[in-house]
Amino acid sequence: FKKDTESRQKVALQQEAMAKVTAAEEASKKASESVEGLSANKDGSQEQAEALMGKLAAVIEEAEQKLNEARQFLEETKRDRKVPLDSKEMSDLTSKLVATQVDLAKSKSQVEAYEQTIVASILIKEIAQMLSDLEKETEQVIEEAAPLVEDGGMTFVVASMIRMITEALSEYCGREGIPRQNIFRQMSPETPEGGKVLEAEFVAYLEKVPEICGRPDLAFSAEQRAA
């Protein structure tokens, strides 16, 4: 009876060991077949690549789990001297696991290479987009800065001068309680209201602005005043 019991236990262990090794082999084969489809998706979108990588990661993880379960079962069976398995059969199962592990390592290597390719492709696209955006921004800056360099930047200088003089005269009128219309009378006393101030009169008045407003910083050169 004892021998019959040991025989049945041995058969059960053999069957379970074979089942676990077979499960590991099938999982590794599934991973290998999944990896073979990587080349077909080389030109796919980033979303497609990410989805495929997620599926492959799950398949490889399952294969590794099956492989570890089979390896652990064989190791525990070796240590169990009560119901030892046939040494040749144990050797055959171990060899199958080693071959399965090698195949799975190849699949993982291919997946890693594919992942690096996808990452490089994404980086190249992002860099190209960044360069394109930078080029557009540069063109915009050049366009906006044109007044600073055209005609020696005189257009920008004149605009700045006008703003400074206008602000100074506005402050002067407010401080002295003088209507702004009087400024034009000071420029050209002989010009009727609504008339046009002569250029020479305007330039001459600008020369007096620093003293009138108490602003030495408004003492522009004759060339600047004529601009």
Side-chain angles (χ1 to χ4, degrees), residues 131-150:
L131 291 175
S132 176
D133 294 342
L134 181 60
E135 184 178 356
K136 292 178 182 178
E137 291 177 6
T138 303
E139 291 175 354
Q140 183 178 354
V141 169
I142 292 174
E143 182 179 350
E144 293 176 353
L148 299 176
V149 294
E150 292 178 354

Side-chain angles (χ1 to χ4, degrees), residues 107-164:
S107 297
K108 289 178 65 177
S109 178
Q110 288 178 276
V111 171
E112 290 172 358
Y114 174 78
E115 186 176 14
Q116 292 175 359
T117 301
I118 295 301
V119 170
S121 176
I122 293 172
L123 286 176
I124 290 173
K125 290 179 182 178
E126 290 181 352
I127 291 173
Q129 184 61 50
M130 288 173 62
L131 291 175
S132 176
D133 294 342
L134 181 60
E135 184 178 356
K136 292 178 182 178
E137 291 177 6
T138 303
E139 291 175 354
Q140 183 178 354
V141 169
I142 292 174
E143 182 179 350
E144 293 176 353
L148 299 176
V149 294
E150 292 178 354
D151 300 326
M154 187 57 67
T155 302
F156 176 77
V157 172
V158 170
S160 179
M161 286 172 53
I162 292 174
R163 180 180 59 78
M164 292 174 64

Side-chain angles (χ1 to χ4, degrees), residues 7-207:
S7 178
R8 286 195 296 271
Q9 288 177 340
K10 184 176 181 178
V11 171
L13 280 175
Q14 289 174 336
Q15 291 176 341
E16 187 173 359
M18 180 60 72
K20 289 186 177 297
V21 171
T22 300
E25 288 178 322
E26 291 177 351
S28 177
K29 183 179 179 182
K30 181 180 178 181
S32 178
E33 292 173 349
S34 299
V35 169
E36 289 177 358
L38 288 177
S39 58
N41 195 66
K42 185 180 295 184
D43 299 324
S45 66
Q46 180 179 344
E47 290 76 14
Q48 290 175 327
E50 290 177 350
L52 180 57
M53 290 300 297
K55 292 179 180 178
L56 286 174
V59 171
I60 289 178
E61 183 179 359
E62 181 183 1
E64 288 182 328
Q65 183 179 351
K66 297 293 185 183
L67 181 63
N68 290 333
E69 288 177 358
R71 186 188 297 113
Q72 183 177 356
F73 184 81
L74 289 183
E75 290 175 353
E76 291 176 352
T77 302
K78 284 181 182 179
R79 291 195 297 268
D80 186 4
R81 299 183 178 277
K82 294 180 180 179
V83 188
L85 291 181
D86 180 73
S87 59
K88 183 179 183 305
E89 185 172 357
M90 181 67 75
S91 177
D92 291 342
L93 292 175
T94 301
S95 297
K96 288 184 177 181
L97 279 186
V98 170
T100 300
Q101 185 173 3
V102 171
D103 291 340
L104 185 57
K106 290 180 181 178
S107 297
K108 289 178 65 177
S109 178
Q110 288 178 276
V111 171
E112 290 172 358
Y114 174 78
E115 186 176 14
Q116 292 175 359
T117 301
I118 295 301
V119 170
S121 176
I122 293 172
L123 286 176
I124 290 173
K125 290 179 182 178
E126 290 181 352
I127 291 173
Q129 184 61 50
M130 288 173 62
L131 291 175
S132 176
D133 294 342
L134 181 60
E135 184 178 356
K136 292 178 182 178
E137 291 177 6
T138 303
E139 291 175 354
Q140 183 178 354
V141 169
I142 292 174
E143 182 179 350
E144 293 176 353
L148 299 176
V149 294
E150 292 178 354
D151 300 326
M154 187 57 67
T155 302
F156 176 77
V157 172
V158 170
S160 179
M161 286 172 53
I162 292 174
R163 180 180 59 78
M164 292 174 64
I165 293 171
T166 301
E167 290 176 353
L169 289 174
S170 179
E171 292 176 2
Y172 165 71
C173 290
R175 185 173 63 250
E176 300 295 331
I178 300 173
R180 294 186 180 184
Q181 297 90 316
N182 286 14
I183 297 296
F184 294 97
R185 295 196 187 98
Q186 292 178 9
M187 290 182 188
S188 180
E190 303 301 327
T191 301
E193 188 174 350
K196 184 177 181 180
V197 178
L198 298 177
E199 181 179 346
E201 293 175 326
F202 179 74
V203 172
Y205 184 78
L206 289 182
E207 189 175 358

